[in-house]
Amino acid sequence: MAIQQGMTTWRKSSYSLAHGDCVEVASFRPRSIAVRDSKEPQRPALGFSPEAWTAFVSTVTDGTHGS
């Protein structure tokens, strides 16, 4: 899914390393969540449906991701 990255607010993980390399997330409500590499913000972002993003975050949060 192509994501227009114009004027939006990107959030960086609070677990980001001191030198700032991390994943950033932005919400294009109500239709998509965008994810990009903070080292290369000019590159295209990946897009996910809100449902897919919620499912991913839930599995990471509850520890079932990769099991």
Side-chain angles (χ1 to χ4, degrees):
M1 172 187 313
I3 298 294
Q4 181 179 355
Q5 295 187 31
M7 301 293 288
T8 193
T9 301
W10 290 89
R11 297 183 318 266
K12 191 179 293 190
S13 169
S14 60
Y15 294 99
S16 176
L17 299 175
H19 48 80
D21 295 345
C22 199
V23 170
E24 296 178 318
V25 178
S27 177
F28 292 83
R29 295 192 186 263
R31 60 190 188 278
S32 64
I33 306 298
V35 180
R36 70 180 184 185
D37 182 343
S38 67
K39 295 184 307 289
E40 300 185 59
Q42 73 284 359
R43 301 220 30 193
L46 299 175
F48 299 91
S49 71
E51 297 80 14
W53 183 251
T54 299
F56 170 73
V57 170
S58 293
T59 61
V60 170
T61 301
D62 68 17
T64 59
H65 184 70
S67 56

